[in-house]
Every structure is written in C-alpha cells, then in structure tokens.
Amino acid sequence: MSGVRSAQSLLPIGNVYTLPRNKTIELIMPGGSSGAPHPFHLHGHNFDVVRSAGSAEYNYHNPVRRDVVSTGFAGDNVTIRFTTNNPGPWFLHCHIDWHLDNGLAIVFAEDVDTIEREKKKVPNEWKELCPTYQSAH
C-alpha cells in the first residue's frame, strides 16, 4: 500500500483493529454462533487460554498456550490473552475455511508505527531473493 489510505478505510467497519505495542490483549469469544464450535486461529502469536470452552473458571496462573482455540457452544465465553510484541498485520480467523464467507475473521494491525518505520528498511538480502521479479520492476 502506498500509505495514502489506511487498511481500515478499504474494508468494512470492524474488520481491522489497531493494537498498541507491548500491551496485553484479552479477547473474549462467545460460543454458540451458527456452525459452532469454531476453531479460531491467530497468526503471529501463541496465546494463553485463560478460559476454555466448557468451563466457567478463569486460569491466570498457568494457562495453556495455543495458536488455535475452540469457541465452544452457547454459554461459553472462551478468553485468550496475548502480548503485542510482534508488529504486523495478524489474521484471526475460523480454521473452517468456508466460515470465512460468514465473516468469521478479523485483522489485528499491531504496532502500526513500527511497521511504517521498518517498511523503509528492506535489507539487500531480501531484495536479492528473486532477481527475476526485481528485473521486471
């Protein structure tokens, strides 16, 4: 993207959420939506599952670490936590591909300021990965 427009301006409202750097994010995903349970996957992070499907208990002491979690059924409020220590656009989506048609996906734009600064610092090694592409551009 050229930077003239933000990613949020290109997509329907509620599809991209900007997250600050080095913060703990707690996300609650209610179960019971159509087609439940949904296996949700977060790219770019492992997360702590502090409340699992089928449980009403929160475990902040020694939660399991995952990159996919089931949202469970009606009444479940699956809760995950992760730290925003990996700048970039990270996709959170249902792992059942055809559920994407139902809108079961969002993007977390994490630490946008760092992304803006770093995009100008592409290493030469990266540029040399594909000489054919470079010669065409």
Side-chain angles (χ1 to χ4, degrees), residues 20-100:
R21 181 182 181 94
N22 292 325
K23 298 294 181 186
T24 299
I25 304 299
E26 183 168 292
L27 179 66
I28 300 169
M29 295 181 279
S33 62
S34 178
H38 298 281
F40 266 80
H41 172 62
L42 176 60
H43 291 248
H45 292 282
N46 289 323
F47 50 78
D48 294 330
V49 181
V50 296
R51 182 175 172 185
S52 300
S55 174
E57 301 294 320
Y58 289 86
N59 177 2
Y60 292 100
H61 177 67
N62 61 348
V64 296
R65 305 252 324 144
R66 298 286 185 264
D67 67 356
V68 176
V69 67
S70 172
T71 59
F73 296 99
D76 285 325
N77 282 303
V78 172
T79 306
I80 65 171
R81 279 185 155 193
F82 64 97
T83 302
T84 55
N85 57 4
N86 189 13
W90 300 115
F91 196 40
L92 173 68
H93 64 97
C94 180
H95 243 220
I96 301 171
D97 284 341
W98 57 270
H99 286 179
L100 293 175

